Amino acid sequence: MEKLLIHNIGLLATPRGREARSGKAQGEICLLRGAWILLEGDRIAALGTGEAPETDARRLDAEGRLVTPGLVDAHTHLVFGGWRQNELGLKLHGAGYLDILAAGGGILSTVKATRAATEDELFDKARAALDEMLALGVTTAEAKSGYGLDLETELKQLRVTRRLNREHPMDLVSTFLGAHALPPEYKDDREGYLRLLCDTVIPRVAEEGLAEYCDVFCETGVFSADESRRILEAGLRHGLLPKIHADEIDPIGGSRLAGELRAVSAEHLIVCPEEGIRALAQGGVIACCLPATSFYLGSAFAPVREMIEAGVPVALASDFNPGSCPSLNLQLVMNLACLRYKMTPEETLTAVTLNGAAAIGRAGEIGSLEPGKLADLVIWDSPDLDYLCYRMGSNLAGLVLKKGQIVKREK
Ligand code: NIG
Ligand code: FE
């Protein structure tokens, strides 16, 4: 088995454990100065401080830099056709996100482009995004469907994700988001679309093993809390675990529903009310917060301090998509989390590693640097965690290792 000893690590920073960390524990991470880490094959064999062990392993000098687990982006809309730069001007002239959607643009214009694209076109485009993400230090990501809104195109998107997962070094976790908007052909028949999702598409997605999670955009003018419940319960009957886009623009009960269903995660939560935070805490739901979306939409920032206070584990993700967050830069998300959510660098690191991994059911395998876990890690061009969270707009990922293999070399 191939062995690699990374030595001369200035600071090794990692959360610990195999499940999400909440409350005070979210900020209690392991910080080892003058550390080394030994990889065997695709796993971490050992780590420690001081003199590196005698071994026949190949050696890699970290040159006194920061090492963390590979970042986990637990919320992306990775596979889509086209872009929506035309909406920038509309936004600048005051059009709101839901106004653009109601006028047939927004998500629906990406649906048009995604339906028109071939599987290979979608694959090539998403592969380029994954290359960029790896280079930024992300080693696992979630990918949602939801730009098909018909059986054929939803399956096409999900198959692209499956193929990327097989052919690209990035590990992908797939989520079915057929309830992302009402497709134009069902504009006067909500019931018809709900039935199509619950009776045809969800069973088919589950049967083909194309997704692990089912998500819903629970929002004014999109899907109500009752409709969301119906869809997520249909997902559950077919083995798809619930996630929910909740309280992004209007608080219409998404976080309450997440708590009741004990959803794996609730996402966005920009306007999450106090009662919603309590529901998340009671239901053991991970809050997946997306500060780059707040930044891009010019909206408020989720009440993350209150969530941490209430014992809700917080994950952070990019929400990469062509409408509300055309960025896949999780380092920028870390900057924004510190500046706008007032998260500490330690809480932020847990949020983009272990808690992100837990939000996609992978905390047993990734999300922390511990013996037995996969050897996904980043050597940063940074001496410590504060510097990584403080520098904005540069890519500080020096060397990225995925399952023990170097996937991004030094600049
Ligand atoms: O998470 N809110 C719903 N879905 C995405 C945006 C999708 C789009 O605008 O294309 C989000 O923000
Ligand atoms: Fe989203």
Side-chain angles (χ1 to χ4, degrees), residues 3-5 36 38-40 52-59:
K3 291 189 200 160
L4 180 68
L5 176 74
W36 52 266
L38 179 64
L39 313 181
E40 282 185 13
E54 283 294 313
T55 161
D56 57 355
R58 206 155 51 84
R59 292 170 74 90

Side-chain angles (χ1 to χ4, degrees), residues 327-375:
S327 169
L328 40 68
N329 188 336
L330 214 49
Q331 293 176 51
L332 176 68
V333 165
M334 294 172 78
N335 301 138
L336 288 170
C338 291
L339 294 171
R340 306 307 301 266
Y341 292 154
K342 312 282 182 219
M343 292 174 79
T344 66
E346 291 78 13
E347 290 167 340
T348 299
L349 183 69
T350 300
V352 288
T353 56
L354 188 61
N355 286 4
I360 50 172
R362 295 293 187 276
E365 283 284 275
I366 56 167
S368 65
L369 299 177
E370 292 176 277
K373 283 207 177 179
L374 286 174

Side-chain angles (χ1 to χ4, degrees), residues 75-77 80 84 87 97-98 101 105-111 144 146-147 177 179-180 215-219 222 245-246 248-249 267-268 270 290 293 297 318-325:
H75 181 139
T76 85
H77 302 253
F80 55 84
R84 306 225 293 271
E87 288 177 13
Y97 182 81
L98 292 179
L101 179 61
I107 293 175
L108 295 178
S109 68
T110 301
V111 168
K144 299 179 193 292
Y147 290 121
L177 178 57
H180 197 192
D215 195 346
V216 180
F217 188 13
C218 179
E219 188 59 65
V222 192
H245 279 65
E248 178 178 356
I249 299 163
E267 336 260 315
H268 286 287
I270 292 175
L290 313 165
T293 305
L297 292 177
S318 69
D319 193 23
F320 173 55
N321 75 74
S324 65
C325 187

Side-chain angles (χ1 to χ4, degrees), residues 72-119:
V72 178
D73 192 341
H75 181 139
T76 85
H77 302 253
L78 174 73
V79 179
F80 55 84
W83 290 95
R84 306 225 293 271
Q85 64 272 41
N86 61 308
E87 288 177 13
L88 180 60
L90 299 176
K91 269 161 60 83
L92 295 178
H93 286 93
Y97 182 81
L98 292 179
D99 303 329
I100 297 173
L101 179 61
I107 293 175
L108 295 178
S109 68
T110 301
V111 168
K112 231 186 245 158
T114 307
R115 288 179 177 178
T118 65
E119 203 170 303

